């Protein structure tokens, strides 16, 4: 009988804890400016973006995941001559809600950004005159 009472007691724990977790206020990141590439859990909000020479690419981390943005493809870093620096070590680390501004892009051409953690996160940046 004691074993059954303990088992029933353990069943009650999720019934008490689950509503407390579900009712906890969720924080939403601020809205992204128009034209901003979002970063979800394992994907960019688009696969390519076109900007004019001298423009910037804005990215917003709308997920609760950490993203490490680098030049390259498939999570492999590949420096691309003419692309702007991403910061110290040519790497941009973003957490939930962060807005990343990359640029200005001064060279016309096609460039690539990827997340070192999520190989399926790839963005082509087309810079036009």
């Amino acid at each position: 009988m004691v074993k059954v009472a303990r088992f029933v007691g353990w069943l009650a724990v999720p019934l008490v804890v689950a509503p407390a977790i579900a009712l906890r206020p969720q924080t939403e990141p601020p809205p992204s400016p128009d034209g901003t590439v979002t970063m979800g859990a394992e994907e960019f909000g688009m696969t390519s973006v076109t900007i004019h020479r001298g423009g910037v690419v804005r990215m917003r981390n709308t997920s609760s995941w950490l993203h490490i943005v680098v030049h390259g493809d498939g999570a492999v870093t590949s420096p691309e001559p003419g692309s702007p620096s991403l910061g110290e070590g040519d790497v941009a680390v973003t957490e939930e809600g962060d807005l990343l501004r990359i640029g200005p892009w001064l060279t016309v051409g096609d460039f690539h950004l990827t997340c070192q953690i999520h190989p399926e996160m790839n963005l082509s940046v087309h810079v036009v005159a």
Side-chain angles (χ1 to χ4, degrees), residues 39 44 59-71 77 85-102 113-118 121:
M39 292 183 265
F44 288 120
M59 304 175 99
R60 164 87 61 192
N61 187 342
T62 57
S63 74
S64 58
W65 294 79
L66 175 75
H67 294 298
I68 302 173
V69 179
V70 296
H71 295 286
T77 302
S85 172
L86 298 172
E88 187 174 333
D90 214 15
V91 172
V93 178
T94 69
E95 296 180 21
E96 182 177 4
D98 286 350
L99 180 62
L100 176 62
R101 184 180 181 277
I102 304 171
L113 297 170
T114 188
C115 175
Q116 281 189 323
I117 301 172
H118 305 103
M121 291 182 71

Side-chain angles (χ1 to χ4, degrees), residues 1-127:
M1 187 68 162
V2 172
K3 288 183 181 180
V4 172
R6 278 192 209 149
F7 179 72
V8 172
W10 279 106
L11 286 178
V13 170
L15 297 175
V16 173
V17 173
I21 293 171
L23 295 175
R24 183 179 53 147
Q26 300 294 318
T27 58
E28 292 283 329
S32 298
D34 288 338
T36 299
V37 178
T38 58
M39 292 183 265
E42 296 180 351
E43 73 283 331
F44 288 120
M46 56 186 71
T47 57
S48 66
V49 63
T50 300
I51 61 171
H52 289 279
R53 181 179 31 211
V56 299
V57 172
R58 291 184 310 269
M59 304 175 99
R60 164 87 61 192
N61 187 342
T62 57
S63 74
S64 58
W65 294 79
L66 175 75
H67 294 298
I68 302 173
V69 179
V70 296
H71 295 286
D73 189 56
V76 177
T77 302
S78 177
E80 297 180 304
S83 61
S85 172
L86 298 172
E88 187 174 333
D90 214 15
V91 172
V93 178
T94 69
E95 296 180 21
E96 182 177 4
D98 286 350
L99 180 62
L100 176 62
R101 184 180 181 277
I102 304 171
W105 296 76
L106 302 176
T107 303
V108 172
D110 294 325
F111 302 91
H112 305 89
L113 297 170
T114 188
C115 175
Q116 281 189 323
I117 301 172
H118 305 103
E120 58 280 2
M121 291 182 71
N122 300 291
L123 178 71
S124 295
V125 179
H126 306 288
V127 182

